[in-house]
Amino acid sequence: MVKTNEPVRQARLPQRRSSSPGADRLKGFVALLAILAIVGGVPYVLLRFFGTPWPERMPSRDVLFSELSIETVLGIIAVVIWLAWLHFVVCLIAEVVAEIRGHGLSPRIPLGGGSQGLARRLISTVVLIGAASGVTLPVATAVTTTHTGAPTVATATQDGDQGSRDSFRQTEARSTVLSGNQGKTTHTGVRTNSDDKGQVIKYTEVRPPQGRNYDCLWDIAERYLGEGRRYKEIYDLNKNKLQPDGRRLTNPDLILPGWQVRLPADAKGAGVHTVRVKIDTGTTVSHGTRTTSPGTKSSTGTKATTGTKTTTGTSTTTGSENAPGTGSRWFEEQGSEKGSSIGIGSATRDPGAKTVKPGEPGITVEPHGPGTSQSEPGDPAAGGTKVPEPVPVAVDDGFDATEAGMYGFGATLLAAGLALALKRRRGWAQGPGPKAAGHRQTEVGLRLASDIPTAQFVDNALRQLGADMTRASRSMPKVVAALVTDRALTLVLDPYEAQTPPPAPWQTIADGTRWTLRRAYGPSGDVAAPAPYPTLVTIGRNADGATVLVDLDTANGIVSFGGVNNPSRDVVGSLAVELATNLWSEGAHVSMVGFGDDLSSLAPSRLSYWVRLDDAIAEVTRRTEAQVQACARRDAGSVADARMTHPDAALWGAEIIFVSAPPSPEEQDRLNRLAADGKRSIAVVVVGDVISSPWRFVVDEKNQAVCRLLGLEVDAHSINPAQFADLVALFEAAESDSLDKRRAEQDMPAYEFSATDLSRPAPVEVDLLGPVEVDARGELDEGRRQLSTEIVAFLASQDYGVHPNVLAGAIWPRGISEELRDAALDHTRRWVGVDAMYADESGRWMLNRSVVRVDWDVFRTLAKQATMMDDPRGPLSTALSLVHGPAWSHTPAGRYSWLAASGIERRMVEAVVDAALKLAEASLNYNDGILARTALQTGLSFSPASEELWRATLRLASHFGTTADVTNVAAQMYGALAKHGGPRGPEAETDALVDELLPGYHRPAQVA
């Protein structure tokens, strides 16, 4: 149930020590007497009974050979005692100096050991004399504050955070984490290749209250440092640092449960987490040991037993399997507190549960708020997020993956998924139609941000890996994160599971804890295999410029994004959109609970909006019940295994629940239990800090996300509400354009080519009817080829030339200087030839069509000639022979954004589809089935989602072939529409034709 009221929350002050002031004074005086006895008494006794430690006269050579007397032995013992006393005095002086300074540790004395420890304890006890009389610690009290927010209707713009966002703009220095265990490095962080050892960082989490006993810095210092007065050191390390609940430590007397507190290097004890940090260089995480609670998912789907795992992957079983009532954590230090007992009631079975849209009659949309039970610290404020000011985009002379992205943010894989989803939404037309004219700028930004080739590489590489592992009868490894660079894809594996070598061409690095695939060895085409990691999602970019992805399913529990409220919401929103649109989340379904905007129009079959969390949990539980039953029938230990051995995207699709605020403790228990069930593919992401979450991310004002337990620190991707609104409007316009089946008549260019021109090669040839290719006669540096090819392609799409400012705005939408623009044009002109590209008297740049042959110009000329002939088969066959694949495919990242405004994509598809249908019809008039089939196949290679072409192919197969031929065509059609067609499935006319030609044909389930 959605609630926006924040219940009364308790704050706390540090507790007073349990001992009385009198006892502290007595201990201090005893310690002082002990110091005086050691410093003064020991020398007095030695001098009184043994004399000075040095001899009265120089010993002779005979001493070495004479018999040892009692006096000589006692003298040797006295010298040893003098040395021990002197060493203790040095340790005592070092501790006194450190105490006078008031902070920091004393320098380590060589061979100090017990002597320095004893001196430190004595000095700290003596200090109690002054502390008991001069230092009065506040008495523990319960301070109550009330913050009540009235229920509000969530909209795209809401009030911002209640706390100050400008007071503390500084954050911790960028750190990268490398992991080590007793001298052996285990890489689980975000760098691709780094074995450097770094600084050991220790931290702990503030414990929840036990009764009226609240944790404080004094208690933490006493627990892990052995002395409460060292709380000042902990405060200095954590002052003004952002915590998961969005607050900062500004007062040493005020800390809250769940805060992650950094500790001095000598901290030790149960609950201390250790990571190895390399500032500004390497990133990995080091954990001494791992304790896995019952209920966690393993890579084989079986329940992991309680035990201690080392980096070699061995484990010692100390508990029973599937023990009830225990929580799960992906990483736990040895001795860390176990998860609390959980008990889950039955899900609410509301018959009226459905996907409710904002704006429907009787529906009031409110963000999901905390439950009626005790709330967690840092609950986000009610409502949506504040719309930030537009971010200015830097001016450069090309694509910069670090700066480009959704309206200026780096989000190449996220934007690639959206761009491909937008193309599928347009269906057969592929390109923008007339109704998308008002959203051109949004699409330009989307195309600039997207890196479709990299997204396809990641998708095909993972699918090929899954297929190879399945053929070898091996289970897929558990992946914590993935790193994507220009050169390779690296999978960061669970370092506590023993791994066998990966199949070629994958390679192992970092002691086998990482598998890497160089991009040059990736699959060359699409791989027809299940996607093994459907919950892999982009978090952001690390310091090396690599795109960092995490697998939400590996968390085995709630993944929380705390910190500053608005940036956290924006980051979580980007995760939801990517999982609903990317290539490898095949069959995944995203449920968004309580968010202010309904984004389901971005992916109607993969994203739904809910007002109540109970309804979403009930629906997700109902859908995943089929997975539990299927695992039992197939004797599969987990969905991860069954997904590869028994491919069925509709059955094994992942369910991801996004909640806009921390749920109640009871709801957290239910969500954690569902996420930890290996026979259900469920992941949960929450905006706000959840203390029981295995993975707790902290997002600050600068969109930097940190997860200390995993060693991740990235510049997070995000989409704010204003950008969401633009995307929704763009997708709705694309949906409307896809319903328009009219094909405009193509205008012939101002010049005309005859068919005889194709008999010999032209000096310069430009192919646009497929992947863009330019065959020029000049020489060009390889680094300039992509840019020059785009310039030539843009000029080839313009029939009458273009002004240089318009050309610059299209090729460099983020801006460029005139000097750099003219230099790029000069390089391109020398490449194609000075007579092939020129500027006319008015300064408009154009291609010389008498020297440059563009296949699109030839196609239109032949199509126009076909309309004037009784038998159009000749010119139409020649025109379709120019088609060599899907138009504008394999375009490099960040280029060709001008396609969003030119409309040439749609015009090309219209012309090719029209020519294919006309040629097929003309061929049937002459009973030429082979030519008709070739024409339709050529059209489908250019527009695989054209249902008009598919229906003509079905009729052709029915006319000339057998029932088996028609069945084969139907299977190919539904496969192509599932991959390239719109999310709402085939048109009713298509299904009706299949039912007529193939009565009883079983259509495959629609998988987005």
Side-chain angles (χ1 to χ4, degrees):
M1 182 176 296
V2 179
K3 289 183 174 61
T4 56
N5 291 346
E6 184 177 9
V8 174
R9 184 177 299 149
Q10 290 184 341
R12 66 163 312 286
L13 298 175
Q15 289 187 335
R16 183 187 181 88
R17 292 174 53 90
S18 58
S19 56
S20 63
D24 289 341
R25 292 191 187 96
L26 179 61
K27 292 179 181 179
F29 281 119
V30 171
L32 181 61
L33 291 176
I35 292 175
L36 293 176
I38 294 175
V39 174
V42 171
Y44 172 79
V45 172
L46 293 175
L47 291 172
R48 177 71 176 80
F49 294 100
F50 299 99
T52 60
W54 53 86
E56 295 179 356
R57 62 179 183 275
M58 291 296 295
S60 64
R61 182 173 177 273
D62 297 336
V63 174
L64 299 176
F65 303 100
S66 62
E67 183 179 356
L68 290 176
S69 62
I70 297 298
E71 292 78 6
T72 303
V73 173
L74 293 177
I76 294 173
I77 295 175
V79 171
V80 173
I81 296 175
W82 274 108
L83 293 176
W85 173 83
L86 181 62
H87 184 270
F88 178 79
V89 171
V90 173
C91 294
L92 199 66
I93 294 173
E95 296 300 327
V96 171
V97 173
E99 183 64 31
I100 293 174
R101 290 176 179 173
H103 66 276
L105 293 175
S106 59
R108 184 179 297 275
I109 304 300
L111 303 177
S115 297
Q116 190 169 6
L118 176 62
R120 181 180 303 157
R121 185 169 292 277
L122 289 174
I123 293 297
S124 61
T125 307
V126 170
V127 173
L128 292 177
I129 299 176
S133 59
V135 178
T136 303
L137 294 178
V139 180
T141 57
V143 182
T144 61
T145 59
T146 304
H147 175 76
T148 304
T152 58
V153 177
T155 59
T157 304
Q158 294 289 342
D159 292 337
D161 294 334
Q162 300 301 321
S164 173
R165 299 184 57 179
D166 297 325
S167 301
F168 306 102
R169 300 294 295 183
Q170 298 296 326
T171 58
E172 294 185 51
R174 177 181 297 279
S175 64
T176 52
V177 185
L178 285 168
S179 211
N181 182 17
Q182 298 179 355
K184 181 177 180 179
T185 302
T186 301
H187 298 269
T188 58
V190 298
R191 281 184 67 95
T192 306
N193 290 299
S194 180
D195 295 326
D196 298 333
K197 292 184 178 180
Q199 176 187 4
V200 173
I201 299 297
K202 297 182 178 180
Y203 74 95
T204 188
E205 292 186 1
V206 179
R207 293 179 177 179
Q210 299 178 354
R212 301 191 63 178
N213 182 20
Y214 290 81
D215 210 2
C216 64
L217 293 183
W218 181 287
D219 297 336
I220 293 174
E222 191 172 60
R223 188 160 60 241
Y224 301 125
L225 302 177
E227 176 51 54
R229 286 189 56 82
R230 295 183 61 189
Y231 78 92
K232 295 180 180 179
E233 301 175 33
I234 303 177
Y235 175 70
D236 292 339
L237 288 174
N238 296 275
K239 185 178 180 181
N240 288 340
K241 297 299 185 295
L242 185 67
Q243 295 296 330
D245 63 357
R247 296 176 173 85
R248 298 179 187 270
L249 179 58
T250 58
N251 187 339
D253 295 338
L254 293 174
I255 61 174
L256 292 173
W259 280 16
Q260 296 176 339
V261 179
R262 184 173 171 180
L263 300 174
D266 62 333
K268 59 184 177 180
V272 176
H273 300 270
T274 303
V275 296
R276 190 178 296 276
V277 176
K278 186 72 173 178
I279 303 298
D280 289 330
T281 54
T283 305
T284 59
V285 170
S286 172
H287 298 277
T289 55
R290 171 191 175 192
T291 302
T292 305
S293 301
T296 58
K297 288 187 281 190
S298 67
S299 62
T300 60
T302 58
K303 301 293 181 181
T305 55
T306 306
T308 302
K309 288 190 178 183
T310 65
T311 55
T312 61
T314 60
S315 86
T316 303
T317 303
T318 61
S320 59
E321 187 172 354
N322 298 333
T326 54
S328 63
R329 273 182 178 269
W330 194 80
F331 274 119
E332 287 190 10
E333 300 295 334
Q334 185 179 22
S336 296
E337 296 180 358
K338 299 295 186 296
S340 59
S341 299
I342 55 177
I344 301 177
S346 59
T348 303
R349 301 287 184 176
D350 186 358
K354 62 179 181 178
T355 300
V356 185
K357 303 289 191 299
E360 290 185 356
I363 298 300
T364 302
V365 181
E366 301 173 0
H368 177 77
T372 56
S373 301
Q374 182 180 358
S375 63
E376 303 293 347
D379 293 335
T385 56
K386 184 178 180 180
V387 179
E389 295 297 328
V391 180
V393 181
V395 176
D396 58 35
D397 59 347
F399 175 70
D400 185 351
T402 304
E403 296 178 357
M406 290 291 298
Y407 309 94
F409 297 108
T412 54
L413 297 183
L414 164 63
L418 282 167
L420 291 173
L422 181 63
K423 188 175 183 179
R424 290 194 300 269
R425 182 64 58 86
R426 287 172 172 149
W428 68 276
Q430 299 185 13
K435 296 182 180 178
H439 310 283
R440 287 177 179 173
Q441 194 57 43
T442 302
E443 187 170 354
V444 167
L446 185 62
R447 289 178 183 253
L448 277 175
S450 63
D451 188 355
I452 294 177
T454 297
Q456 292 172 337
F457 160 68
V458 173
D459 179 46
N460 292 320
L462 294 177
R463 292 177 187 268
Q464 187 63 57
L465 175 63
D468 294 341
M469 296 287 284
T470 303
R471 278 194 295 268
S473 300
R474 296 169 56 189
S475 299
M476 293 296 292
K478 182 181 291 187
V479 170
V480 181
L483 304 167
V484 182
T485 65
D486 295 337
R487 294 184 295 272
L489 166 64
T490 302
L491 300 181
V492 182
L493 309 184
D494 183 351
Y496 305 107
E497 288 188 355
Q499 304 292 349
T500 56
W506 288 80
Q507 297 175 327
T508 59
I509 58 176
D511 298 330
T513 59
R514 297 188 180 197
W515 290 2
T516 184
L517 175 67
R518 294 184 181 180
R519 192 156 184 171
Y521 300 122
S524 56
D526 293 340
V527 179
Y533 303 112
T535 57
L536 198 64
V537 65
T538 306
I539 295 294
R541 286 183 177 271
N542 66 2
D544 296 336
T547 300
V548 181
L549 301 90
V550 296
D551 192 352
L552 300 177
D553 192 45
T554 307
N556 296 336
I558 296 175
V559 179
S560 65
F561 283 80
V564 182
N565 186 40
N566 287 350
S568 298
R569 282 180 179 267
D570 297 344
V571 171
V572 170
S574 72
L575 302 185
V577 170
E578 181 176 347
L579 287 169
T581 57
N582 67 23
L583 294 174
W584 51 88
S585 296
E586 187 178 44
H589 186 271
V590 175
S591 300
M592 301 188 70
V593 182
F595 286 83
D597 298 300
D598 178 17
L599 308 177
S600 58
S601 59
L602 298 179
S605 61
R606 290 174 57 172
L607 194 151
S608 59
Y609 181 91
W610 299 86
V611 174
R612 299 197 309 165
L613 180 58
D614 287 342
D615 296 341
I617 294 177
E619 179 63 18
V620 168
T621 304
R622 182 191 65 80
R623 283 200 295 260
T624 55
E625 193 64 34
Q627 296 178 350
V628 176
Q629 298 173 4
C631 286
R633 290 194 304 269
R634 293 166 171 81
D635 195 24
S638 68
V639 172
D641 288 341
R643 181 181 289 123
M644 304 308 300
T645 57
H646 302 85
D648 189 343
L651 174 61
W652 307 118
E655 295 283 345
I656 307 99
I657 304 175
F658 289 87
V659 189
S660 64
S664 66
E666 293 79 8
E667 292 169 336
Q668 292 179 26
D669 291 343
R670 297 169 64 188
L671 293 171
N672 277 318
R673 177 66 64 87
L674 289 173
D677 189 349
K679 296 184 178 180
R680 300 177 189 266
S681 183
I682 299 177
V684 182
V685 180
V686 171
V687 178
D689 185 39
V690 177
I691 296 180
S692 62
S693 171
W695 293 356
R696 298 169 65 191
F697 286 85
V698 182
V699 183
D700 65 9
E701 303 93 335
K702 302 176 182 178
N703 276 5
Q704 290 184 349
V706 178
C707 181
R708 295 197 180 193
L709 198 58
L710 297 182
L712 296 178
E713 181 171 350
V714 297
D715 293 328
H717 297 338
S718 65
I719 307 179
N720 62 47
Q723 296 164 355
F724 273 134
D726 291 342
L727 288 173
V728 169
L730 176 62
F731 272 70
E732 290 176 348
E735 178 84 8
S736 180
D737 278 334
S738 68
L739 301 177
D740 186 5
K741 299 298 188 298
R742 295 174 298 172
R743 292 190 291 273
E745 185 171 345
Q746 299 296 321
D747 293 331
M748 248 189 1
Y751 30 82
E752 183 176 352
F753 289 90
S754 65
T756 57
D757 293 329
L758 299 178
S759 62
R760 59 180 182 272
V764 180
E765 295 186 0
V766 180
D767 295 336
L768 303 181
L769 293 172
V772 178
E773 297 178 3
V774 177
D775 185 7
R777 55 194 172 184
E779 294 183 357
L780 185 69
D781 295 339
E782 191 61 32
R784 304 180 188 273
R785 187 171 298 274
Q786 286 187 356
L787 175 60
S788 295
T789 299
E790 184 181 6
I791 293 174
V792 173
F794 178 72
L795 293 177
S797 68
Q798 307 293 321
D799 293 337
Y800 305 102
V802 63
H803 192 275
N805 291 340
V806 176
L807 185 147
I811 306 299
W812 299 276
R814 291 185 296 274
I816 190 175
S817 65
E818 291 186 3
E819 292 79 8
L820 292 177
R821 178 200 66 190
D822 294 341
L825 292 175
D826 183 62
H827 287 299
T828 304
R829 188 184 184 197
R830 281 185 284 155
W831 177 44
V832 298
V834 293
D835 57 340
M837 174 179 167
Y838 64 95
D840 61 9
E841 297 81 0
S842 62
R844 299 171 66 88
W845 281 88
M846 62 182 64
L847 297 178
N848 184 357
R849 255 51 180 212
S850 62
V851 177
V852 180
R853 183 167 67 203
V854 182
D855 60 352
W856 173 233
D857 298 337
V858 178
F859 184 95
R860 288 182 293 173
T861 301
L862 294 172
K864 192 70 172 180
Q865 291 176 0
T867 61
M868 307 173 184
M869 303 173 64
D870 295 333
D871 185 4
R873 288 182 297 171
L876 289 178
S877 297
T878 305
L880 289 174
S881 67
L882 299 174
V883 176
H884 57 282
W888 308 103
S889 57
H890 308 298
T891 55
R895 299 201 179 276
Y896 296 90
S897 62
W898 47 270
L899 291 173
S902 68
I904 191 173
E905 287 176 295
R906 187 181 181 96
R907 292 197 303 271
M908 281 185 172
V909 174
E910 289 176 347
V912 172
V913 169
D914 187 67
L917 290 173
K918 288 181 177 179
L919 179 57
E921 183 179 359
S923 300
L924 288 178
N925 292 335
Y926 291 90
N927 202 28
D928 189 351
I930 296 178
L931 182 58
R933 182 170 176 266
T934 302
L936 295 176
Q937 287 180 339
T938 302
L940 288 172
S941 70
F942 199 77
S943 177
S946 175
E947 296 189 47
E948 194 170 3
L949 290 176
W950 279 114
R951 289 194 292 267
T953 306
L954 284 171
R955 295 188 181 96
L956 184 67
S958 176
H959 181 72
F960 287 100
T962 63
T963 303
D965 296 329
V966 181
T967 304
N968 185 37
V969 172
Q972 294 176 3
M973 177 188 69
Y974 282 116
L977 294 181
K979 184 176 182 180
H980 304 285
R984 304 190 187 278
E987 299 173 0
E989 185 178 354
T990 302
D991 288 335
L993 179 61
V994 172
D995 292 337
E996 177 185 351
L997 299 179
L998 298 171
Y1001 178 79
H1002 179 69
R1003 289 188 290 273
Q1006 178 70 16
V1007 179

